[in-house]
Amino acid sequence: MAKILQMAVMLGSSKLGHGAFGFDERQTDPTSVPQMKRDLPTRKMCLEAFKRTHYDILIIGGGAVGSGCALDAATRGLKTALVEANDFGSGTSSKSSKLLHGGLRDLEQAISRLDVAAFRRVRSSLQERSHIGNMAPHLSQPVPILLPVHHWWEAPLYYMKLKIYHLMAPKTTRSFQYLSADEALEVFPMLRRQELFGAFVFYEGQHDDARMCLSVALTAARYGADICNHMKVSRLIKNKEGNVAGAEAVDQLSGKKYSIRAKVVVNATGHMSDSLRQMEDSEAKPLCTRSWSSIIVMPRFYCPEEVGVFDPHTPNGRSIFFLPWQGHTLVGSSDEPLNLPEQDTQPTETDVQSLLDCVKHFVTPNFDVRRCDVLAVWGGYKPLPVQSDSLHHTLFKNHVIQLGPRNMLSIVGGTWSSFRVLAEKTVNAAIRYGDLSPLRKESVTAESCKLDGASGWGPKMFIRLVQDFGMERDVAVHLSNTYGSNAFKVAVSADSSGKAWPILGKRLHSEFPYIEAEVRQGVRDFACTLEDMVARRLRVAFLNVQVAEEILPQVANIMAKELNWTQDQIKKQIRKTRTFLNSQMGQLTKESASQLSIPIKMSVGQVRKFAGQFRRMDKNKTGYVTIADCCRAMKTMGVKEVPVDLMHNVLRDIDVHAQGKVNLYEFLLLMSAIVQGNTEYLRYARLYLDHKKQMQGSNFPIVMQMERAGGGL
């Protein structure tokens, strides 16, 4: 124990790392801090620059690491280009748990093996979390995490791990504390009391991942980088020696081809990196493997508004986390299956039901966990280096920077907590192997660089938006924490509400703080499609997929004015975005049709009667009616007093797929159970289906080792 504490203190006070590829990491001279060169360029300006500029470095891939590389290179004075096939952060970078974790699970593995390299990795993650907070204080903030203790002997073990964790973190990190079982229940009332001995509360970082990725890319552009989304690389350009000297990219909006030439090309395409490496060398062996994880979004009552919960060792053997985020609750598990189809990026109903099953076994049995409480679902691949002899010595090597046979640099792996330092190492390698001549040899992103909107921001800045512009408090807080000091630009362009209060800011939806002016700002921030807007400029698709679909026409019309879309283009954008919501965000998850397995115990005549009643109530042909409509229907059919408690139980047994409303199939089940007085069979049918699902559990995918997954949430 003493040896471990001594090691942690030593690592906590020592200088981080020794530099990548032989570079010495010296303190940055404050007098050499770069200044932003220009206002944010337009996408059209960047496309024009691609035609005439020979770049020092071209980065392919606009995720966290790729955008980080662009920022690091641009702030060193290198001529930098960044292209992304879809939208900035549209892949894994926008589908994380939103945590900037320090690697508590990594630390657990490091202690068990006394692995110094693993301790250094944890120390690096904790230090990087601090750097990211310095770069973008408006986008990141600490979040307390409750760590349940189920047995008395776990308490001293968790205390030791958290103590080491805190010693290795920067001095400004808040300390942890212990809570009794009763105190823990006050914080998280849904915990099972009989399985709880106590709990610890410690702090991790939390951020808006898609907005962070976008801000990194836009800041790189202000430092001089030419960036462009929806630019898909079709082939690599090679010089006379056969080495990679650029790329040909196709603008996905216009179909035009652009030849972008550069001294060094960086492959930062995440889990798709091997596809680009095949363009460099058709015989290239795989460098990247992938893991999959899914997250479901549930209402805020599933988690305290300001406190998350992470249990790495639940009584049923699985790990689970509940995280508050933007007024909702994110639920996920750290178990990540492998061996998924190549092009399958769609969350499945199996993913949803598996997570719901975890929730049911974690919270008190008195709490009804329903499928209709799932507001959105998303899943993403995590890129990991392929295991090799060179990586066999440690399980904590979760990234690789490789120079290919034709001089293309490929970076594989990394997390949000490590993206900045990986970008620094990659640019160091590019300078070395490309013989580049930067204005600044050392990276300045750790201490001296702030993202656009960070300078001048303060946690109470929203008050000025309320006082000076007459905005509602939640709208002002949202603008301040999303745009930083640029929130004033959004406020200036906001429309009058037409009311005495608020004065400015027309909401897109009553339940969310998004306003119409943000759509116009989103277009200026490189949003090119309706999907870009509702998924990554506004996060509504990640929070409530039904609300996202509801506001599509309104958002599309505002974008049309900015981008000169025709009516046909508006319809096409709405259609494509609905497909995205259905397939990628859990509106209609795979296998959902197979869930309709409970029989409807009615005659054909009765089915026709109730189906006709449903169609009459569904006046707008939405495919749904409200529970209030159902109650009125029961009264017209002779039910004098609607049995509310009985209906609650029936809705639970049916497991409806939306809150407060039912589709035709669910309506028929409800009518069959209550009006026909036949409720018991629903419960037996549900138990049978659950049992059948468990019997098919042998088909569940392989679960990868937690330490290979990066050790975080």
Side-chain angles (χ1 to χ4, degrees):
M1 174 67 180
K3 182 178 180 181
I4 293 173
L5 287 172
Q6 185 179 9
M7 188 183 301
V9 174
M10 178 184 68
L11 288 168
S13 60
S14 63
K15 190 177 181 298
L16 174 62
H18 58 275
F21 297 93
F23 278 67
D24 294 327
E25 294 183 355
R26 298 186 295 271
Q27 293 293 325
T28 304
D29 181 3
T31 62
S32 66
V33 175
Q35 300 297 317
M36 292 185 186
K37 293 182 177 181
R38 57 183 180 178
D39 292 333
L40 184 67
T42 64
R43 187 174 184 272
K44 182 178 180 181
M45 291 168 60
C46 292
L47 289 173
E48 289 298 319
F50 288 158
K51 297 177 182 178
R52 62 176 184 268
T53 309
H54 191 285
Y55 294 96
D56 292 316
I57 184 170
L58 165 64
I59 298 115
I60 303 173
V65 175
S67 298
C69 287
L71 178 61
D72 193 282
T75 52
R76 297 198 203 193
L78 295 172
K79 291 182 181 179
T80 306
L82 170 69
V83 293
E84 161 59 40
N86 196 325
D87 186 24
F88 301 118
S90 59
T92 306
S93 297
S94 63
K95 298 173 181 176
S96 72
S97 66
K98 321 306 176 194
L99 278 189
L100 294 166
H101 61 79
L104 186 62
R105 291 294 296 268
D106 277 354
L107 181 62
E108 183 176 322
Q109 299 295 330
I111 292 173
S112 65
R113 294 184 176 91
L114 286 179
D115 190 335
V116 176
F119 276 109
R120 285 187 178 137
R121 184 174 181 275
V122 175
R123 166 60 180 157
S124 176
S125 295
L126 290 167
Q127 188 66 52
E128 285 304 306
R129 189 174 69 187
S130 176
H131 290 328
I132 294 169
N134 178 65
M135 290 173 63
H138 59 298
L139 294 177
S140 58
Q141 59 281 324
V143 57
I145 305 291
L146 190 76
L147 186 66
V149 178
H150 299 289
H151 307 284
W152 68 266
W153 49 266
E154 289 181 328
L157 294 177
Y158 278 139
Y159 178 86
M160 179 190 72
K161 294 169 187 175
L162 290 171
K163 186 67 175 179
I164 296 171
Y165 199 59
H166 184 67
L167 287 172
M168 297 174 71
K171 294 181 179 179
T172 54
T173 304
R174 297 184 187 181
S175 184
F176 64 94
Q177 66 181 101
Y178 178 77
L179 302 178
S180 67
D182 291 338
E183 291 172 330
L185 285 172
E186 289 182 14
V187 175
F188 196 91
M190 290 189 295
L191 289 172
R192 295 187 178 219
R193 178 64 179 86
Q194 65 273 23
E195 297 173 357
L196 192 66
F197 177 78
F200 286 95
V201 175
F202 69 104
Y203 289 84
E204 293 281 27
Q206 190 177 51
H207 70 152
D208 181 343
D209 50 5
R211 176 58 60 172
M212 181 74 78
C213 186
L214 177 67
S215 295
V216 172
L218 298 182
T219 304
R222 291 204 60 191
Y223 274 107
D226 294 318
I227 66 172
C228 198
N229 53 353
H230 299 283
M231 287 285 286
K232 187 175 183 179
V233 170
S234 56
R235 70 178 183 90
L236 296 176
I237 299 172
K238 297 180 180 178
N239 58 23
K240 295 178 180 179
E241 291 77 26
N243 293 326
V244 176
E248 183 179 85
V250 181
D251 184 352
Q252 300 298 288
L253 305 181
S254 67
K256 293 181 180 179
K257 294 182 179 179
Y258 293 81
S259 294
I260 309 171
R261 299 188 177 272
K263 297 176 183 177
V264 178
V265 174
V266 173
N267 172 13
T269 54
H271 70 271
M272 299 298 294
S273 58
D274 283 336
S275 298
L276 196 61
R277 291 177 63 249
Q278 290 286 331
M279 293 186 188
E280 179 193 23
D281 178 13
S282 59
E283 298 181 358
K285 295 181 179 180
L287 186 65
C288 178
T289 186
R290 308 180 302 175
S291 64
W292 172 269
S293 62
S294 298
I295 290 176
I296 58 177
V297 182
M298 309 192 82
R300 69 169 64 197
F301 55 73
Y302 272 84
C303 183
E305 190 169 350
E306 302 296 336
V307 182
V309 177
F310 173 50
D311 194 342
H313 306 292
T314 61
N316 70 346
R318 297 194 65 181
S319 60
I320 192 171
F321 61 80
F322 295 73
L323 297 172
W325 189 63
Q326 297 200 8
H328 295 72
T329 301
L330 308 185
V331 179
S333 173
S334 297
D335 297 326
E336 300 181 334
L338 295 173
N339 302 333
L340 292 159
E342 278 293 317
Q343 301 301 322
D344 194 354
T345 59
Q346 180 175 338
T348 67
E349 189 65 25
T350 301
D351 295 332
V352 176
Q353 294 298 332
S354 177
L355 287 171
L356 286 176
D357 189 58
C358 286
V359 175
K360 290 174 184 176
H361 285 87
F362 185 75
V363 302
T364 175
N366 298 327
F367 186 82
D368 282 339
V369 178
R370 294 188 179 184
R371 176 61 176 82
C372 67
D373 290 336
V374 178
L375 305 177
V377 187
W378 72 77
Y381 288 111
K382 181 182 291 183
L384 294 166
V386 171
Q387 289 270 32
S388 64
D389 293 338
S390 61
L391 299 180
H392 184 68
H393 68 285
T394 177
L395 289 172
F396 295 93
K397 187 70 172 177
N398 285 290
H399 73 273
V400 166
I401 301 172
Q402 184 191 76
L403 183 69
R406 298 302 176 186
N407 289 352
M408 181 175 72
L409 272 176
S410 294
I411 168 71
V412 173
T415 64
W416 263 114
S417 298
S418 63
F419 89 95
R420 192 213 62 82
V421 72
L422 293 190
E424 178 182 336
K425 290 181 179 181
T426 304
V427 175
N428 283 345
I431 293 170
R432 176 180 177 182
Y433 292 122
D435 195 24
L436 305 181
S437 301
L439 294 177
R440 301 169 190 85
K441 187 177 180 181
E442 305 300 326
S443 173
V444 299
T445 55
E447 302 291 347
S448 307
C449 178
K450 290 187 178 294
L451 298 189
D452 191 22
S455 297
W457 177 85
K460 299 298 183 183
M461 196 192 79
F462 75 91
I463 296 175
R464 288 181 55 190
L465 294 171
V466 176
Q467 293 176 334
D468 296 350
F469 294 91
M471 288 184 158
E472 292 176 284
R473 186 184 189 278
D474 62 331
V475 173
V477 170
H478 158 68
L479 294 179
S480 174
N481 293 344
T482 302
Y483 303 94
S485 56
N486 290 328
F488 295 110
K489 296 179 182 178
V490 180
V492 167
S493 65
D495 298 321
S496 171
S497 68
K499 304 175 183 177
W501 184 265
I503 298 172
L504 285 184
K506 285 186 178 180
R507 288 181 184 253
L508 293 168
H509 193 277
S510 60
E511 293 297 315
F512 287 87
Y514 307 126
I515 59 175
E516 291 183 356
E518 291 184 81
V519 179
R520 293 187 287 272
Q521 180 62 42
V523 172
R524 290 189 284 272
D525 290 343
F526 285 68
C528 302
T529 68
L530 189 55
E531 176 193 323
D532 295 347
M533 188 65 68
V534 299
R536 289 172 292 275
R537 303 307 181 275
L538 315 172
R539 300 312 305 272
V540 62
F542 279 78
L543 295 171
N544 191 317
V545 70
Q546 293 182 43
V547 171
E549 183 175 23
E550 184 179 333
I551 67 173
L552 288 184
Q554 184 181 0
V555 175
N557 287 328
I558 299 172
M559 292 186 71
K561 294 178 182 178
E562 299 294 316
L563 297 170
N564 298 317
W565 287 346
T566 64
Q567 285 299 315
D568 286 342
Q569 287 176 310
I570 292 174
K571 292 177 182 178
K572 182 180 179 181
Q573 286 290 328
I574 292 176
R575 186 169 61 251
K576 290 178 67 175
T577 307
R578 279 181 177 150
T579 300
F580 163 78
L581 295 175
N582 289 341
S583 61
Q584 303 295 314
M585 304 309 299
Q587 175 115 314
L588 293 173
T589 58
K590 277 186 177 180
E591 307 158 15
S592 59
S594 66
Q595 301 300 309
L596 308 181
S597 305
I598 302 177
I600 299 172
K601 300 187 70 173
M602 289 186 188
S603 67
V604 174
Q606 289 171 325
V607 169
R608 287 175 178 168
K609 172 185 175 183
F610 288 119
Q613 180 75 16
F614 179 89
R615 285 191 291 271
R616 287 190 292 274
M617 291 189 296
D618 184 19
K619 297 177 182 178
N620 297 323
K621 301 187 183 303
T622 61
Y624 291 93
V625 296
T626 67
I627 300 301
D629 290 332
C630 296
C631 293
R632 285 190 287 270
M634 291 178 200
K635 289 185 177 180
T636 63
M637 295 173 187
V639 178
K640 295 182 179 179
E641 185 175 350
V642 177
V644 178
D645 292 337
L646 178 61
M647 187 170 67
H648 169 81
N649 294 332
V650 171
L651 290 172
R652 178 195 60 206
D653 293 335
I654 293 174
D655 199 14
V656 293
H657 278 59
Q659 289 182 331
K661 59 184 182 180
V662 295
N663 58 27
L664 175 59
Y665 167 75
E666 294 161 347
F667 176 76
L668 292 175
L669 285 176
L670 185 61
M671 294 298 106
S672 172
I674 295 181
V675 177
Q676 303 298 114
N678 202 348
T679 61
E680 289 300 322
Y681 86 97
L682 288 175
R683 183 160 301 177
Y684 288 115
R686 175 58 59 188
L687 290 172
Y688 168 75
L689 291 175
D690 291 341
H691 174 70
K692 185 178 179 181
K693 193 164 53 179
Q694 291 174 5
M695 294 299 291
Q696 296 171 344
S698 58
N699 296 327
F700 275 32
I702 302 169
V703 176
M704 74 177 304
Q705 294 172 297
M706 188 58 224
E707 55 268 32
R708 281 282 294 151
L713 302 186

